[in-house]
Amino acid sequence: MAADPITEPMKPMRPMNKAQDPIELVNLLEEVSEDPIRPECVEGWVIVPPQPDYNHGKSAYKLSVQLTAAGLELAGMGMGFRVSAHVDQRETTWALVIPDFYVLHREPTDLDEAYRKAHKGWYPIDLVALAGEVTSTNHETDTGPKYRSYAAAGVPVYVVVNRQERQVQVHSEPVADPDDPTKSHYRTTLSTELGGKVELPAPYPVLDTALMAND
């Protein structure tokens, strides 16, 4: 019987096989699954996040709309990004992430589109200026492996709407560890109670989470 994504915590599917790129594994999982899924990869583990509930999707959409309304035309949802790293003296796929919302540094260029084609649908992570996640039952992934993966990639701002702890964490000033990406972190973290006004680093607007207080 399939696991209930609402009541059971997400578990990693399998560790990364050094002889096989994780992109091949996530594509295979999508092909064989009877239900629509969007696998990701963090710290060498291919994972299948639980299907988001209504409040999760509503929260991500509201934040993306606020960013767009503030004039950030490159805010969006839905795109996937590849994080690369050098492990055992070779370049490898370290993470494949699909932020719940994001802001890009720039519109994808022809080179970025060529990268996406070469990596079977995943854009380069250096497009991302701000990444945001809204936690579900797998909230440890957003606050642990994804936190470190975004820091390792040098994503300038990482926002976590932690529905379990009723907090919004804004992480900035990434410190990447090229020798061990699992030691990457953000130098600065500001926390705000969910339902309040969330200060983001310039040039980003203040986000209002009042309508999410009961989500």
Side-chain angles (χ1 to χ4, degrees):
M1 180 180 296
D4 181 354
I6 302 300
T7 60
E8 293 193 23
M10 178 208 67
K11 297 180 177 63
M13 295 296 295
R14 57 166 293 174
M16 179 175 65
N17 183 341
K18 290 186 178 180
Q20 185 176 24
D21 193 298
I23 292 175
E24 298 177 9
L25 297 179
V26 299
N27 287 346
L28 178 60
L29 283 172
E30 286 185 294
E31 290 176 6
V32 301
S33 175
E34 295 181 359
D35 299 316
I37 59 173
R38 294 204 70 185
E40 297 175 90
C41 171
V42 287
E43 296 188 347
W45 288 91
V46 174
I47 60 172
V48 179
Q51 291 292 336
D53 61 19
Y54 171 74
N55 285 335
H56 176 284
K58 182 176 68 172
S59 295
Y61 175 73
K62 286 178 179 177
L63 293 172
S64 181
V65 167
Q66 287 186 52
L67 291 167
T68 303
L72 298 168
E73 297 182 357
L74 298 181
M77 304 170 66
M79 286 166 50
F81 303 91
R82 176 180 180 265
V83 180
S84 64
H86 282 83
V87 179
D88 297 330
Q89 298 183 333
R90 67 187 182 90
E91 195 270 348
T92 187
T93 298
W94 181 252
L96 300 169
V97 291
I98 306 170
D100 290 321
F101 58 97
Y102 52 76
V103 178
L104 303 182
H105 285 293
R106 63 178 189 278
E107 290 188 351
T109 64
D110 290 343
L111 187 60
D112 295 319
E113 293 296 345
Y115 182 103
R116 182 183 66 84
K117 184 176 180 180
H119 293 93
K120 302 179 181 180
W122 300 88
Y123 282 99
I125 191 67
D126 61 9
L127 277 173
V128 180
L130 177 150
E133 301 282 359
V134 178
T135 63
S136 295
T137 54
N138 62 325
H139 56 277
E140 294 92 348
T141 301
D142 294 330
T143 58
K146 278 194 174 181
Y147 164 88
R148 294 187 291 270
S149 292
Y150 285 125
V155 173
V157 181
Y158 176 40
V159 180
V160 182
V161 180
N162 193 321
R163 296 191 293 166
Q164 285 71 26
E165 296 185 2
R166 313 301 298 168
Q167 292 280 322
V168 181
Q169 286 97 28
V170 179
H171 306 288
S172 59
E173 300 183 82
V175 180
D177 188 325
D179 296 322
D180 185 356
T182 64
K183 294 181 180 178
S184 300
H185 63 281
Y186 283 90
R187 185 176 290 114
T188 302
T189 297
L190 298 176
S191 296
T192 304
E193 184 177 355
L194 187 61
K197 304 280 189 178
V198 178
E199 297 277 352
L200 299 181
Y204 300 105
V206 173
L207 296 179
D208 187 356
T209 66
L211 295 178
M212 304 172 201
N214 298 320
D215 289 352

